[in-house]
Amino acid sequence: MGGTGANPDMLPREVLPGVYACADAAELARVAARRFVDWAWQSIAKDGNFSVALSGGSTPRDLYRLLASPEFRAQVDWPRLHLFWGDERAVPPESSESNYGMARRELLLRVPIPPSNVHRMEAEDPNIGRAAHNYEATLRQFLPLDDRGFPRFHLILLGLGPDGHTASLFPGSKLLRETSRWVSTPLVPKLGTRRMTLTLPVLEAARRVVFLVAGAEKAFILHEVLCERRDPPLPAQMVKPREGERLFLVDEAAAVKISSSQSRPIREGKS
Ligand code: 6PG
């Protein structure tokens, strides 16, 4: 993954295969924004559109804010984008907990994307199962299917929780064994709440999955995910695009443990 070359100091360093460390969270956002623009143009040139599942949580906030800035906003052909979510909390859009609400404040209200191209998860629906079924219909309407019949995003952005969860796929969840549903609504015991989330087969159908991980508090779990074989595996370890690319864009604070010379990435396929 190269940068634009305009500012070589901005080039992140590849700490492990597919894992790029940026100096800090601000540079992480800039590198991610530059790559987002590149990927958008490549996808639009090839397929006429760019389909993205946005991540929730706090890490992507700086990226969304930067994409909405005059510098980057002008570089994206927004009417060609279709935005979705990887997961959502069972709260209304105006809630401070809403992943859609955060993206709306930081990005959607500031860029010329047609409202019909923004596909939020209606996880506040009292009948969340029906809302999940409706979301699957939306995915079917707007996305091509891969050879196994799962919807294929150009890009899925993901975060990493301190327990190794990603999207709303949490350790110990039976949802980690899901092989057919596209969208599910797990009850998350540790949170005492229900979520709506894309399932692993959909994450694995993507052309590109990018984890955004920042902060010293993520150093331990990032090392666990990338360098420690776990049985059962952590949810973030299970996201392996079948034909697509998996990248980690991290900051140096989160990379401090994987940067040590003793760190070796898990070698796939080894017993
Ligand atoms: C959510 C996210 C979740 C998040 C991680 C990291 O709805 O909270 O989907 O998977 O990405 O918990 O969150 P932070 O970016 O806030 O650390």
Side-chain angles (χ1 to χ4, degrees), residues 148-252:
R148 292 178 41 176
F150 290 99
R152 165 166 283 167
F153 286 91
H154 287 116
L155 174 63
I156 297 181
L157 295 175
L158 292 173
L160 177 63
D163 60 356
H165 81 261
T166 191
S168 285
L169 303 170
F170 285 81
S173 168
K174 65 179 187 315
L175 189 50
L176 298 173
R177 296 188 297 277
E178 178 60 52
T179 57
S180 58
R181 295 292 308 274
W182 297 0
V183 181
S184 192
T185 59
L187 180 64
V188 184
K190 66 182 292 187
L191 302 176
T193 59
R194 195 166 287 281
R195 296 277 189 95
M196 187 181 298
T197 186
L198 299 181
T199 59
L200 272 173
V202 175
L203 303 186
E204 293 172 342
R207 292 198 180 286
R208 181 175 281 114
V209 173
V210 177
F211 283 87
L212 300 175
V213 187
E217 71 279 6
K218 298 291 175 73
F220 173 79
I221 194 60
L222 186 64
H223 181 270
E224 289 293 296
V225 166
L226 294 172
C227 304
E228 297 298 330
R229 193 175 296 283
R230 295 283 287 264
D231 184 14
L234 294 166
Q237 290 178 315
M238 299 175 72
V239 179
K240 297 173 185 167
R242 281 190 296 280
E243 296 172 12
E245 178 184 33
R246 186 189 76 167
L247 290 175
F248 281 79
L249 288 181
V250 307
D251 68 0
E252 289 291 356

Side-chain angles (χ1 to χ4, degrees), residues 13-44:
R13 66 188 181 97
E14 188 167 21
V15 187
L16 294 174
V19 183
Y20 295 86
C22 307
D24 53 29
E27 187 198 338
L28 170 54
R30 286 196 67 78
V31 168
R34 273 211 315 260
R35 304 306 294 141
F36 186 98
V37 168
D38 292 345
W39 293 330
W41 281 113
Q42 289 164 17
S43 301
I44 291 166

Side-chain angles (χ1 to χ4, degrees), residues 106-179:
E106 302 297 345
L107 176 64
L108 303 179
L109 291 175
R110 305 178 189 180
V111 296
I113 187 168
S116 57
N117 289 24
V118 177
H119 312 286
R120 78 175 184 90
M121 289 177 162
E122 298 178 352
E124 77 279 11
D125 189 328
N127 186 339
I128 195 171
R130 177 186 59 195
H133 180 75
N134 292 343
Y135 206 70
E136 287 189 357
T138 299
L139 296 177
R140 188 177 300 278
Q141 181 181 352
F142 289 97
L143 297 178
L145 304 184
D146 75 353
D147 59 349
R148 292 178 41 176
F150 290 99
R152 165 166 283 167
F153 286 91
H154 287 116
L155 174 63
I156 297 181
L157 295 175
L158 292 173
L160 177 63
D163 60 356
H165 81 261
T166 191
S168 285
L169 303 170
F170 285 81
S173 168
K174 65 179 187 315
L175 189 50
L176 298 173
R177 296 188 297 277
E178 178 60 52
T179 57

